[in-house]
């Protein structure tokens, strides 16, 4: 499966009407600390918006809701894998993305036959406190050797200036969060991303 090379992540569905018309075709909603009704409403809206724009919505963490709402993708971190029912996710027809940070986590992820493997943080990130130091673009080459034809996502501290180096090192997809959401002109920055990820 060939994935779009640009993969932004947002914490609120309100970003999607701003980003999808620009041509974003793969997007994750990573919504934390919200009541279930708010979560369901946001994911339902995100699903419908993505379908209207021919884009793929990836639901972070909330695999039960992703199944219930008929979403296409779910993304699981390593902690989520402890409790997620991967067989139920697969039998519902959802595609699966998995976060990895070290060789042990990659060894755990690969038998699940994920539809992409994410490696991060490639560069220091302000998004969340992490026990892992920056991985560096060189590690993308090591990961690509191990994952083979499985799409490899580079995440963490990514900018449009850093994206070409990640692609050169073996990443198939580059993910961005704060480089867009904290930019003075998020739409303009997203256009730059789409250009560099063509």
């Amino acid at each position: 499966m060939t994935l779009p090379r640009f993969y932004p992540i947002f914490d609120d569905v309100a970003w999607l009407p701003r980003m999808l018309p620009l041509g974003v075709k793969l997007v994750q909603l990573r919504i934390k600390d919200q009541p279930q009704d708010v979560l369901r409403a946001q994911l339902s809206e995100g699903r419908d918006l993505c379908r209207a724009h021919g884009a793929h919505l990836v639901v972070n963490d909330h695999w039960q809701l992703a199944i219930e709402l008929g979403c296409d993708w779910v993304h699981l971190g390593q902690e989520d894998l402890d409790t997620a029912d991967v067989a139920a996710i697969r039998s519902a027809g959802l595609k699966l993305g998995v976060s990895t940070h070290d060789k042990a986590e990659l060894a755990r992820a690969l038998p699940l036959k994920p539809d992409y493997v994410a490696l991060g943080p490639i560069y220091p990130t302000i998004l969340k406190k992490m026990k892992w130091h920056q991985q560096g673009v060189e590690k993308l080459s090591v990961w690509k050797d191990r994952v083979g034809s499985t799409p490899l996502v580079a995440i963490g501290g990514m900018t449009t200036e850093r994206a070409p180096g990640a692609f050169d090192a073996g990443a198939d997809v580059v993910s961005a969060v704060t480089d867009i959401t904290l930019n003075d002109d998020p739409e303009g920055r997203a256009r730059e991303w789409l250009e560099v990820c063509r």
Side-chain angles (χ1 to χ4, degrees):
M1 174 183 189
T2 303
L3 290 175
R5 284 157 55 90
F6 174 45
Y7 181 22
I9 297 175
F10 299 110
D11 62 0
D12 193 290
V13 74
W15 283 100
L16 270 56
R18 300 172 64 180
M19 294 292 142
L20 293 171
L22 303 178
V24 170
K25 294 299 181 186
L26 178 67
V27 63
Q28 184 184 127
L29 280 178
R30 182 179 181 275
I31 303 168
K32 303 288 185 182
D33 306 319
Q34 291 291 343
Q36 197 77 354
D37 58 333
V38 173
L39 195 56
R40 181 179 277 103
Q42 288 225 12
L43 294 179
S44 297
E45 184 180 350
R47 175 201 62 201
D48 295 345
L49 284 166
C50 283
R51 287 188 180 156
H53 286 87
H56 299 286
L57 173 66
V58 182
V59 175
N60 184 288
D61 293 357
H62 303 288
W63 59 271
Q64 298 103 320
L65 266 179
I67 292 172
E68 176 191 323
L69 296 173
C71 296
D72 300 322
W73 280 82
V74 66
H75 176 95
L76 298 177
Q78 291 287 319
E79 300 81 11
D80 306 310
L81 285 175
D82 293 337
T83 55
D85 187 340
V86 175
I89 291 168
R90 290 306 200 181
S91 65
L94 273 71
K95 290 183 167 50
L96 173 66
V98 179
S99 295
T100 65
H101 308 86
D102 59 33
K103 290 177 180 175
E105 292 183 353
L106 182 61
R108 182 188 190 193
L110 287 178
L112 302 175
K113 295 186 168 40
D115 297 281
Y116 73 69
V117 168
L119 172 65
I122 304 303
Y123 293 95
T125 176
I126 59 172
L127 184 62
K128 54 183 177 179
K129 285 190 168 63
M130 302 188 83
K131 64 183 180 183
W132 299 277
H133 298 294
Q134 70 182 78
Q135 307 281 4
V137 289
E138 304 80 13
K139 198 163 179 181
L140 287 166
S141 301
V142 176
W143 250 234
K144 191 58 189 172
D145 284 343
R146 292 175 183 239
V147 303
S149 61
T150 302
L152 176 61
V153 178
I155 187 170
M158 298 307 301
T159 64
T160 52
E161 295 79 13
R162 291 169 169 171
F167 287 129
D168 289 345
D172 300 290
V173 181
V174 173
S175 192
V177 188
T178 56
D179 190 59
I180 298 169
T181 58
L182 299 183
N183 195 283
D184 291 339
D185 178 11
E187 283 86 352
R189 190 59 163 173
R191 287 189 188 95
E192 291 174 19
W193 269 103
L194 286 163
E195 187 64 30
V196 84
C197 292
R198 288 174 69 177

